[in-house]
Amino acid sequence: MNRFLNAIAITTTLVLVQACSSLPKAEEKVMSVSTHQHEERSSNESHHGNHSTSSTVHGEKKALTQAKLKVSSVITPNKNISLLIDLQDLNGKAIAKFDTFQEKLMHLIIVSDDLQFFSHLHPTYKDNGQFQVEASFPKAGGYTFFSDYKPTGQSEQISVLKTQVPGITIAAPEIDIKRSKTFNDTQVNLALSEPTVKAGQEVTLMFKLQDATNNQPLTDLQPYLGEKGHLVILRQSSSLTAADYIHAHALNNTPTGQVHFMTSFPQAGKYKLWGQFNRNGKIITADFWINVV
Ligand SMILES: [Cu+2]
């Protein structure tokens, strides 16, 4: 099917998160979409790699891009759907060139709004500012997309897009705060440097990965997208925004079978973490909840 429905229209917001003001344009089915500009604090390897759009880091720079999500049909749960993400400058002109970062032109995180579902995809660049990807959605309800890209010569941008899967929504299960979980043949333990995680405070998150069959630290971890691991964090919220999104980078020089991240959480709340690791070509996604006071 070549005709793409306009599922979502555009809003461009100021980067200053607390002053977000939405300016929906006249498009059909307007939902909230925002683009936030990310500022790298440092390109030094030892930096904390916290890409969170926190209001303390950013000035009043305007977002430089806008994003539009198009879906090929009404979304049916568990069916592969072709999605297009159109990226334009603020005048509506397609952005032609992007820089590769972390080995890809775009990193796309899709979550269900209850944070039960997580997907990390790498859409294909089709030219003319348009990225294409296939995705499937497990159940009815709202979904939020965090599209992370770098127009050539500009800083990293995060566009937030939303869509709805029609149907009857099922209540999310209770939050599970276990610190040790098994994902297929890998046991993952999450340890924190602080007994209580406080908003705004730096904390080291230590993922200890063991082979579930012999309880030995993993020796077959390979780089994933150029790093020891990736960590996406989202704050539980009734309406997810770029301010709820943190993408942390792994620290170097950690013990065998361990991947550490340093980050801080912008505000109190419940956060879900998805650590992603490459075990000999197989990606493990280990999810945990953290309570931040
Ligand atoms: Cu990615």
Side-chain angles (χ1 to χ4, degrees):
M1 197 185 288
N2 282 326
R3 220 178 68 85
F4 281 79
L5 306 170
N6 253 341
I8 276 179
I10 315 152
T11 308
T12 307
T13 61
L14 289 176
V15 172
L16 192 66
V17 171
Q18 287 176 337
C20 272
S21 61
S22 306
L23 305 164
K25 294 194 177 168
E27 295 247 4
E28 48 189 349
K29 292 187 194 170
V30 175
M31 294 170 107
S32 67
V33 177
S34 60
T35 300
H36 289 253
Q37 186 176 356
H38 270 206
E39 244 171 50
E40 291 283 347
R41 282 176 193 159
S42 153
S43 55
N44 188 312
E45 282 221 315
S46 67
H47 79 130
H48 303 145
N50 182 341
H51 282 201
S52 113
T53 310
S54 75
S55 52
T56 52
V57 181
H58 295 278
E60 289 185 55
K61 263 193 230 159
K62 270 192 180 171
L64 303 170
T65 61
Q66 52 185 347
K68 220 188 277 185
L69 174 67
K70 296 170 179 177
V71 297
S72 58
S73 59
V74 171
I75 302 173
T76 314
N78 295 311
K79 215 183 112 193
N80 259 354
I81 300 282
S82 180
L83 305 165
L84 291 177
I85 296 173
D86 259 344
L87 299 174
Q88 300 172 343
D89 66 17
L90 297 184
N91 299 318
K93 196 168 158 271
I95 296 165
K97 284 193 168 160
F98 298 86
D99 288 338
T100 297
F101 72 104
Q102 288 166 18
E103 300 185 350
K104 303 289 175 184
L105 288 177
M106 180 188 278
H107 299 264
L108 178 67
I109 302 297
I110 306 178
V111 292
S112 57
D113 287 348
D114 62 9
L115 303 182
Q116 293 298 311
F117 169 76
F118 169 90
S119 178
H120 179 174
L121 304 170
H122 299 111
T124 310
Y125 186 42
K126 293 293 193 191
D127 208 16
N128 230 3
Q130 198 163 69
F131 285 82
Q132 191 271 334
V133 72
E134 301 259 306
S136 81
F137 302 85
K139 55 176 185 174
Y143 289 81
T144 301
F145 296 58
F146 297 88
S147 159
D148 211 334
Y149 54 93
K150 216 171 161 294
T152 296
Q154 294 175 20
S155 58
E156 191 184 334
Q157 308 281 316
I158 303 245
S159 293
V160 179
L161 298 140
K162 289 177 186 282
T163 196
Q164 195 74 29
V165 176
I168 297 159
T169 55
I170 309 151
E174 253 182 73
I175 287 177
D176 171 7
I177 55 148
K178 273 204 296 267
R179 287 281 173 266
S180 178
K181 293 185 186 179
T182 302
F183 304 91
N184 295 323
D185 48 3
T186 307
Q187 202 202 326
V188 184
N189 295 292
L190 173 64
L192 309 179
S193 61
E194 311 298 322
T196 306
V197 183
K198 297 194 181 94
Q201 181 189 56
E202 256 171 15
V203 56
T204 305
L205 308 164
M206 294 163 281
F207 287 80
K208 297 176 183 175
L209 298 104
Q210 294 181 337
D211 193 310
T213 54
N214 60 14
N215 295 323
Q216 292 302 305
L218 291 192
T219 53
D220 56 359
L221 279 176
Q222 307 288 333
Y224 175 47
L225 302 168
E227 298 187 35
K228 285 192 92 173
H230 284 261
L231 178 65
V232 170
I233 305 171
L234 278 168
R235 190 176 68 92
Q236 187 186 50
S237 159
S238 55
S239 181
L240 294 164
T241 69
D244 300 313
Y245 174 81
I246 301 170
H247 182 178
H249 299 274
L251 301 173
N252 294 315
N253 306 318
T254 45
T256 302
Q258 294 195 27
V259 186
H260 297 184
F261 302 89
M262 200 189 266
T263 193
S264 67
F265 297 85
Q267 54 177 304
K270 290 189 168 63
Y271 287 79
K272 193 159 193 191
L273 288 67
W274 294 267
Q276 293 197 290
F277 312 100
N278 178 4
R279 208 179 157 181
N280 249 344
K282 245 177 82 184
I283 305 304
I284 303 156
T285 302
D287 62 292
F288 294 93
W289 284 95
I290 283 190
N291 200 26
V292 175
V293 297

